[in-house]
Structures are given as structure tokens and as C-alpha cells.
Amino acid sequence: MSEKLQAPRGTYDVLPQDADARAALEATARRVLEGAGYRRIETPTFEATEVFARGVGASTDIVQKEMYSFDDGGGRSLTLRPEGTAPICRAYAEHGMHKLPQPVKLWYLSSFFRAEKPQAGRYRQFWQVGAEALGSDDPAVDAEIVLLLATLLEELEVAGLRLRLSSLGTPAARAAYRENLAAHLRAHEDELSADVRARIDLNPLRAFDSDHPGTRAVMQTAPLLLDHLDAADAEHFATVRELLDGAGLPYEVDPTLVRGMDYYTRTVFEFTSDALGAQSGVAGGGRYDGLVEMLGGPPTPGCGFAAGVERMLLAAADTPAAPPPVDLFVSYDGARAAAFKLTAEARAARLNAHMELAGRSRKGQLKQADRLGARYVAMLDDDGGAVLKDMQGGAQHDVTAGEVVARILRDRTLR
Ligand code: HAM
């Protein structure tokens, strides 16, 4: 025997028993988001690497360490998408969506790829439900995005939720603040982890994310960006908060909230769940007012979220869905062609029908029909005749194979 092959590390198979919960999640996402005017978009699984290098940011972990990039054979670098926001902004610019009534509201349910260290809730191929609203900088868009995400998580019964909210201001305010923060880190350089020390100039904000005790102590006294916003950004944030307060959505303002992409401006947010282990982030997002322009489109504000499908399912109440009912099981000894024809006829009449496919004995076939919970069994003989058995009532009738479907449909209407 050859060596048994396995799915790559950090990936998993969606088996039939897991598929129903995912389908239910998709149906809920569709209802919540399409009800609010978001329409489905799907972009390609891979993009020019440039989309992420420019969009997500060259200094981010995602671009530096986590992308699956490859040559397209013609010297052009492509990358399996690590996230959905930059590709959607690329599509917005490419298809001239700025000519449509704004904001353009889009949603997606797609798989993404990051070369991260696999662990519970962290995969190398994972799925996200996301929504992006492009073309308006109204704080009501930010509040709508956060509230829709909260509704989605609530409807999916994701347990132990906590929402943190902050504002990152404009790139200019952020640049000035980064200088400030870098100076603070440099003043405490020997107390920091090697990792943070190496990134003081590249990405000092990541220091807020560190678990290292020395770094954490230094961050206690670090200046906070939220205290250094421009007047317009501070007002934008105050309005987002007012709208969420008005909607009765509880949240915490967390000035140390760090997101993994460079494209964010103004509002950022993250939902965590205490039903998850170390990978507690269920969903996150924010505003990205410069991203479309960075990808070659017209200046366009935008705001959105993405929620991890695996993490939502892990943190949600487990409600197994019933498989679809089986109306008819077709049993036979030698009359395979007649059984096949009857099964096809039944399906054409919208009955859920199965036929025997494993060469079982008659007894074994009845057992299989029972296991499937089939309502009727048609036992075909070799001469075009059949016994139709109602497995619930126990009634049995001699019929021809050609009469089976009509008989079931008639019984059904009489019931
Ligand atoms: P993100 O925070 O990187 O944001 O990812 C969003 C969610 O995807 C996370 O909260 C988590 O649930 C899930 N996720 C991320 N990485 C993994 C992984 N390796 N395994 C399993 N789940 C994972 C974004 O991707 C932004 N595009 C969100 C956004 C949309 N911002 C604005 N619009």
C-alpha cells in the first residue's frame, strides 16, 4: 500500500457533518447583510502581489511573513489572498464603481491564506464573512458596519463577546504619533523584547500587541494615539460612539487596539470571544480612507469588517441541523436499470430519492432504508412489478414500477 496522504498542515476538510452548520452560517450572513443593502462579491483567489504589498503594507507581519506568493511563469508575482479588503478595493477601482450611487455596499464569504503557525482556531486556509462599504466617510457607515457585525455574531449565538473600539486618526496624525511612540520606545530600549526592539522604526505600534513582560511595562506609560487625534477625527469618532450608544451596543474604548494592516484610518474595532482560547479574535475591521487610491483608484473612503468562519463556529452554540428527509428508497435484486429509471423519475418529481448502490441483500437494503429514515421503500422485482411500502404506516401495495411516483404523490396530497 502507498503512504496515506494528508491535507497540508493548517488546512482542514469540511466534512458532510460540518457542512450544514456552515450553510446555516452563510444563510444568516446573507439575510443580515443583504437586508441592509450589501450585495455579494467574489474576487479571485489570487491577486498580483502588489495589491497586498501596497494595500496591506510592506511592514506588516502579513506581507513580511505570511503570504503564499508564487511566480505566474512569466516573471510576475502572484499571491494567494491573505485578506479581502485590498482585493475589493482593487475591484472597485478596476470596475469604476465610483460611478455607482455611493456608498457601494458589498459582502463576501471566501477563503483566505496565511502562512501562520497552525493551532486551535488558526489555520493556513480559513474562511471569512466580510462586508465593505465604499464611497462614504459618514460616521453612520462605521456604526452600521459595527452594528451589522454585532447582529451577525448575536444571531449565530457566538458566546462571550467583547467589543473594543478605537480611532487611529489620519495618516499624518499617525506619522507624528509614531515618532512620539518610537522616541518613547527608544528611551526604554533595553527593557523591550528583541522583536519589538528590531521594529521600533518599522512598526512601533505593534509593541502594544506584545506579551513580553518588560515590553508591557514600557507600554503602560507610552503616549496614546487617541489623545493626539485632529479635531475632525476626534469628532468623527465621537459621532460613531454616539450612534452606537444610541443603538444600545456595549463596547469598550481601547486606545491600545492594534490591527494587523496598515490601511486603517479613523475607526478600528475588534470582537473577541472568551469561548475561544489564545486565538480569541472573532472579527475585526475599520475604516480605510486611503486604500482605493493607494491601489490606483480615485480618492474613496471605505469601512468594513471580516469575521472568521471557523472561530464563529467554534464559539457558537452547536445546533446540529437535520439532514433532508428521504422520501423514497428504491430496492432491487436484478432490475438495476428499472431502479435507476425510477429513482430519476422520483427526483424529477422533486422527491428526495436514493437507490441501492452497494449490492446489499434485500434485508440489508431494508435496513439501509430504515437507517436513512426513508418514508417509502419501492421493492422492485425483475418483471416490472414492485411492492411499495409506507415505512411509517406500514401499509404495503402491489404496483408497477411506473406507478410508484404517482402513488407517493397522491398519498402525500391526501395526508
Ligand atoms: P483580520 O483581523 O486579519 O482582518 O481577520 C478577520 C478575522 O479573520 C479574524 O478576527 C479571525 O476571526 C479570522 N482570521 C484571521 N486569520 C486567521 C487564521 N489564520 N485562521 C483562522 N481565522 C483567521 C481582516 O482580514 C480585514 N480584511 C478585516 C477588514 C475588513 N477590515 C476592513 N474591512
Side-chain angles (χ1 to χ4, degrees):
M1 249 208 293
S2 309
E3 185 199 349
K4 198 193 277 174
L5 299 177
Q6 292 182 337
R9 228 162 80 76
T11 71
Y12 63 93
D13 299 305
V14 181
L15 298 172
Q17 61 266 32
D18 310 322
D20 287 338
R22 295 172 83 94
L25 183 149
E26 176 167 356
T28 304
R30 180 184 305 279
R31 179 166 47 75
V32 169
L33 296 170
E34 297 199 345
Y38 289 74
R39 298 193 56 208
R40 182 82 176 247
I41 183 168
E42 287 299 336
T43 60
T45 304
F46 52 82
E47 292 274 348
T49 299
E50 193 67 13
V51 169
F52 306 109
R54 266 201 249 167
V56 173
S59 70
T60 58
D61 278 356
I62 292 183
V63 171
Q64 290 217 324
K65 311 193 259 199
E66 297 172 0
M67 297 210 301
Y68 289 103
S69 299
F70 54 98
D71 190 290
D72 71 350
R76 192 168 156 77
S77 177
L78 300 177
T79 292
L80 292 182
R81 57 185 173 194
E83 63 101 47
T85 311
I88 285 175
C89 290
R90 191 267 308 140
Y92 178 93
E94 183 172 337
H95 300 286
M97 291 191 220
H98 61 280
K99 292 184 206 126
L100 301 173
Q102 307 291 302
V104 175
K105 295 170 158 194
L106 303 166
W107 79 280
Y108 51 98
L109 197 171
S110 324
S111 59
F112 297 92
F113 305 84
R114 295 183 194 174
E116 293 192 86
K117 209 166 153 223
Q119 63 180 81
R122 189 160 76 194
Y123 302 94
R124 290 181 170 172
Q125 176 178 2
F126 58 96
W127 293 72
Q128 289 181 345
V129 173
E132 315 287 350
L134 290 132
S136 166
D137 64 2
D138 193 314
V141 172
D142 309 50
E144 170 174 293
I145 281 285
V146 174
L147 200 59
L148 284 172
L149 174 56
T151 306
L152 176 65
L153 296 173
E154 231 165 75
E155 297 229 355
L156 294 171
E157 298 183 42
V158 176
L161 284 174
R162 181 176 159 214
L163 167 60
R164 289 176 304 142
L165 191 68
S166 189
S167 175
L168 300 179
T170 51
R174 213 148 104 203
Y177 167 75
R178 272 167 71 121
E179 281 309 307
N180 240 332
L181 180 62
H184 175 78
L185 293 175
R186 250 181 251 113
H188 297 273
E189 210 163 331
D190 40 354
E191 298 156 59
L192 302 174
S193 72
D195 202 34
V196 169
R197 209 180 312 133
R199 289 166 154 262
I200 291 183
D201 292 312
L202 201 57
N203 196 351
L205 281 158
R206 288 314 292 256
F208 283 113
D209 246 3
S210 174
D211 292 332
H212 177 259
T215 307
R216 289 180 74 100
V218 172
M219 298 322 284
Q220 295 272 314
T221 57
L224 296 173
L225 175 52
L226 206 50
D227 299 332
H228 293 85
L229 297 181
D230 302 0
D233 294 344
E235 195 189 321
H236 191 274
F237 188 51
T239 311
V240 174
R241 292 189 55 185
E242 269 168 37
L243 292 168
L244 292 177
D245 291 339
L249 185 71
Y251 60 84
E252 296 154 46
V253 173
D254 180 357
T256 69
L257 182 59
V258 177
R259 303 269 310 132
M261 294 90 182
D262 280 353
Y263 50 60
Y264 290 114
T265 54
R266 295 187 157 175
T267 314
V268 284
F269 55 88
E270 210 157 83
F271 276 92
T272 53
S273 162
D274 60 18
L276 295 169
Q279 298 306 310
S280 62
V282 183
R287 181 164 277 290
Y288 43 86
D289 288 347
L291 183 53
V292 174
E293 198 177 0
M294 257 190 276
L295 297 171
T300 310
C303 185
F305 75 71
V309 167
E310 295 79 10
R311 294 188 195 171
M312 288 191 284
L313 290 173
L314 276 171
D318 201 13
T319 38
V326 176
D327 301 310
L328 173 65
F329 186 85
V330 182
S331 155
Y332 70 95
D333 265 335
R336 177 193 282 123
F340 188 82
K341 184 161 174 263
L342 171 55
T343 308
E345 271 170 27
R347 288 177 184 159
R350 303 243 168 132
L351 294 174
N352 295 336
H354 296 219
M355 72 177 270
E356 171 58 26
L357 290 171
R360 293 180 185 83
S361 67
R362 280 282 193 191
K363 202 170 144 208
Q365 294 185 37
L366 282 175
K367 217 162 140 190
Q368 173 66 0
D370 206 39
R371 218 179 280 137
L372 290 170
R375 175 67 201 257
Y376 294 92
V377 178
M379 287 171 279
L380 304 192
D381 60 30
D382 296 348
D383 310 313
V387 175
L388 182 62
K389 183 170 179 186
D390 181 343
M391 300 289 275
Q392 252 174 40
Q396 246 173 248
H397 298 280
D398 289 332
V399 292
T400 64
E403 288 166 353
V404 168
V405 170
R407 181 94 197 202
I408 293 175
L409 293 176
R410 200 191 66 199
D411 274 16
R412 247 200 189 174
T413 41
L414 294 177
R415 266 208 307 273

